[in-house]
């Protein structure tokens, strides 16, 4: 919360009007540490409660930083939507009113002026800090839309890395005779009529879900690279309604990069196949580092940045030896395999 004070306390460093007795509240800039009256900077007392870090107009211009506003944490559905449709705002150039509603001319980051576009105010929940700074400079009423925290990632999503479902299926098929991941099931895109066990891929709202379908039980073990099926009850309900089978969510603890959804689908399918071949119930899906590297190198030729893995780490579990009960980190599955060969409890 920015530092608030009475005029008498910081009169020596307050840089705006001092004589008006109505100017009784100030706010301090975190960059230059000077104080400003709220009326001078067109911010109300109630609006200061929404400010996380206040930056004055001069510092915004010279230091290329803007005031940071509090927001609400985006839910998983909002995060997914932003990941698939998000373009980063570089600058707001102009504004206009259409049917008494504000629209803003946006300069998109990494795109030329010919790609500038007019966007309605409610579409800018991912760049509220930039929007508020623009409104303050032009002495306009501040926006009422709420900032979404976590919906617009700091990393850029490179759409050139996105691949089709058929490309994912082809990649999985190339591992059919792999020593450790020899496929024992067919892999296909989801179909309405199902007559035997299969691994299915299903696209929902631009995101790929992998399903290990067991026909006799009419059940599907489902997972995805972002663990959305695990975290978002609404998405889980939607998929259950669409697929018309009972779904069991399985966590995947090996995230790769922001736009590597296709690679994750391949790795999930291969691990589903491994569990099926060993007649094990899939409780946690993993993949060795070498396999992750080979598949991502094959499918994704463009640069990308690492995503924040904190949410995914929440699902990392320990693997337990079924004979002696010793625990192993899920990322160290090979150690568990070696341990099983020589377990003293045999």
């Amino acid at each position: 919360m920015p530092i608030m004070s009475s005029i008498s306390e910081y009169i020596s460093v307050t840089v705006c009007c001092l004589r008006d007795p109505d100017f009784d509240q100030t706010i301090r800039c975190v960059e230059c540490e000077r104080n400003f009256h709220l009326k001078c900077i067109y911010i109300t007392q109630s609006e200061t409660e929404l400010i996380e870090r206040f930056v004055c107009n001069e510092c915004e211009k010279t230091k290329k930083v803007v005031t940071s506003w509090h927001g609400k944490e985006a839910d998983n559905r909002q995060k997914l939507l932003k990941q698939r449709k998000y373009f980063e705002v570089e600058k707001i150039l102009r504004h206009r009113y259409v049917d008494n509603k504000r629209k803003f001319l946006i300069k998109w980051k990494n795109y030329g002026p010919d790609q500038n576009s007019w966007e309605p105010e409610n579409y800018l929940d991912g760049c509220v800090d930039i929007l508020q700074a623009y409104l303050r400079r032009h002495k306009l009423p501040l926006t009422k839309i709420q900032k979404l925290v976590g919906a617009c990632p700091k990393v850029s999503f490179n759409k050139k890395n996105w691949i089709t479902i058929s490309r994912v299926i082809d990649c999985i098929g190339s591992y059919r005779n792999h020593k450790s991941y020899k496929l024992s099931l067919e892999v296909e895109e989801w179909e309405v009529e199902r007559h035997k066990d299969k691994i299915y891929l299903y696209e929902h709202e631009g995101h790929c879900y992998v399903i290990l379908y067991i026909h006799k039980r009419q059940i599907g073990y489902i997972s995805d690279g972002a663990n959305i099926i695990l975290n978002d009850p609404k998405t889980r309900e939607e998929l259950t309604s669409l697929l018309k089978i009972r779904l069991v969510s399985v966590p995947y603890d090996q995230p790769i990069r922001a736009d590597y959804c296709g690679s994750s689908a391949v790795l999930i399918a291969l691990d589903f196949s491994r569990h099926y071949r060993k007649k094990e119930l899939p409780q946690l899906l993993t993949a060795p580092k070498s396999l992750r590297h080979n598949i991502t190198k094959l499918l994704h030729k463009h640069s990308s940045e690492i995503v924040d893995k904190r949410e995914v780490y929440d699902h990392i579990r320990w693997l337990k030896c079924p004979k002696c009960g010793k625990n192993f980190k899920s990322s160290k599955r090979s150690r568990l395999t070696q341990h099983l060969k020589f377990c003293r409890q045999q």
Side-chain angles (χ1 to χ4, degrees):
M1 177 65 65
I3 299 176
M4 299 294 300
S5 65
S6 66
I7 187 171
S8 59
E9 185 177 359
Y10 291 108
I11 191 169
S12 61
V13 290
T14 303
V15 295
C16 50
C17 177
L18 299 177
R19 297 182 180 179
D20 190 330
D22 293 333
F23 285 51
D24 58 350
Q25 291 291 328
T26 62
I27 187 170
R28 185 184 300 180
C29 174
V30 296
E31 295 291 331
C32 64
E33 297 186 348
R34 296 184 297 176
N35 293 274
F36 297 81
H37 293 113
L38 299 184
K39 288 186 179 181
C40 291
I41 56 175
Y42 299 93
I43 292 179
T44 66
Q45 176 67 43
S46 60
E47 287 168 343
T48 60
E49 298 176 2
L50 302 176
I51 295 177
E52 187 173 18
R53 296 176 70 254
F54 172 72
V55 180
C56 67
N57 289 341
E58 184 178 341
C59 289
E60 284 184 351
K61 293 177 183 177
T62 58
K63 300 186 179 182
K64 305 298 182 183
V65 292
V66 296
T67 298
S68 176
W69 298 72
H70 289 293
K72 66 176 181 179
E73 183 70 25
D75 59 33
N76 289 292
R77 186 181 181 83
Q78 290 169 322
K79 289 179 182 179
L80 176 60
L81 183 64
K82 289 295 181 182
Q83 288 174 8
R84 296 306 172 194
K85 298 183 178 181
Y86 176 70
F87 296 90
E88 189 173 354
V89 173
E90 180 179 314
K91 186 187 299 184
I92 298 176
L93 304 174
R94 290 168 52 197
H95 69 278
R96 66 185 182 190
Y97 286 85
V98 179
D99 297 329
N100 293 323
K101 294 183 179 180
R102 294 189 294 204
K103 281 194 170 185
F104 299 87
L105 183 60
I106 303 300
K107 167 67 172 68
W108 303 102
K109 189 172 182 178
N110 300 323
Y111 289 88
D114 57 324
Q115 298 296 318
N116 294 352
S117 63
W118 287 94
E119 302 294 335
E121 186 172 349
N122 62 328
Y123 281 19
L124 303 180
D125 53 7
C127 65
V128 168
D129 294 349
I130 296 175
L131 175 59
Q132 297 285 42
Y134 175 89
L135 295 173
R136 283 177 49 218
R137 284 197 302 271
H138 291 80
K139 301 179 181 179
L140 295 169
L142 298 183
T143 185
K144 300 297 183 183
I145 63 174
Q146 193 166 10
K147 176 181 178 180
L148 287 183
V149 179
C152 300
K154 294 181 180 179
V155 299
S156 299
F157 289 83
N158 191 340
K159 290 187 176 181
K160 294 180 181 179
N161 282 319
W162 296 0
I163 58 176
T164 63
I165 292 289
S166 59
R167 181 74 177 95
V168 174
I169 292 175
D170 289 342
C171 183
I172 297 170
S174 67
Y175 283 82
R176 185 166 296 280
N177 297 317
H178 190 274
K179 181 179 178 181
S180 301
Y181 290 94
K182 187 174 182 178
L183 287 178
S184 50
L185 289 172
E186 296 178 23
V187 181
E188 295 183 2
E189 194 167 355
W190 181 258
E191 53 192 4
V192 177
E193 297 294 330
R194 303 169 301 279
H195 305 287
K196 59 180 180 179
D197 297 355
K198 281 186 184 180
I199 292 176
Y200 287 107
L201 302 182
Y202 187 76
E203 182 179 348
H204 180 63
E205 295 186 346
H207 190 61
C208 184
Y209 296 86
V210 185
I211 305 160
L212 170 60
Y213 174 69
I214 308 299
H215 182 66
K216 185 176 181 180
R217 300 171 58 194
Q218 292 288 295
I219 190 174
Y221 295 92
I222 184 169
S223 184
D224 67 278
N227 282 310
I228 293 172
I229 191 64
L230 201 69
N231 295 323
D232 188 358
K234 189 170 183 180
T235 298
R236 190 160 54 247
E237 290 175 8
E238 289 178 356
L239 289 174
T240 301
S241 176
L242 290 168
L243 301 178
K244 301 186 186 306
I245 60 172
R246 186 164 72 89
L247 295 176
V248 176
S249 304
V250 183
Y252 173 65
D253 77 344
Q254 299 289 348
I256 309 173
R257 291 179 184 261
D259 43 19
Y260 283 12
C261 177
S263 293
S264 296
V266 173
L267 295 166
I268 289 169
L270 291 176
D271 208 32
F272 266 145
S273 176
R274 182 182 68 86
H275 282 282
Y276 182 86
R277 192 175 66 254
K278 292 187 174 183
K279 299 181 179 180
E280 299 174 345
L281 288 177
Q283 297 181 333
L284 179 69
L285 302 173
T286 62
K289 185 176 181 179
S290 59
L291 185 63
R292 297 199 307 272
H293 173 76
N294 291 338
I295 290 177
T296 53
K297 186 177 180 181
L298 175 67
L299 294 182
H300 307 295
K301 307 297 183 183
H302 302 279
S303 61
S304 182
E305 297 183 47
I306 298 174
V307 295
D308 186 354
K309 299 182 180 179
R310 285 176 296 179
E311 286 192 9
V312 185
Y313 284 161
D314 291 341
H315 303 295
I316 293 181
R317 301 177 183 175
W318 291 85
L319 300 176
K320 181 177 291 189
C321 173
K323 299 174 182 177
C324 68
K326 184 176 179 179
N327 289 319
F328 295 83
K329 287 185 178 180
S330 58
S331 58
K332 306 294 183 182
R333 195 177 66 207
S334 59
R335 294 187 181 179
L336 173 60
T337 302
Q338 287 295 110
H339 169 81
L340 287 171
K341 294 179 181 179
F342 307 101
C343 182
R344 296 179 181 179
Q345 301 298 321
Q346 292 186 23

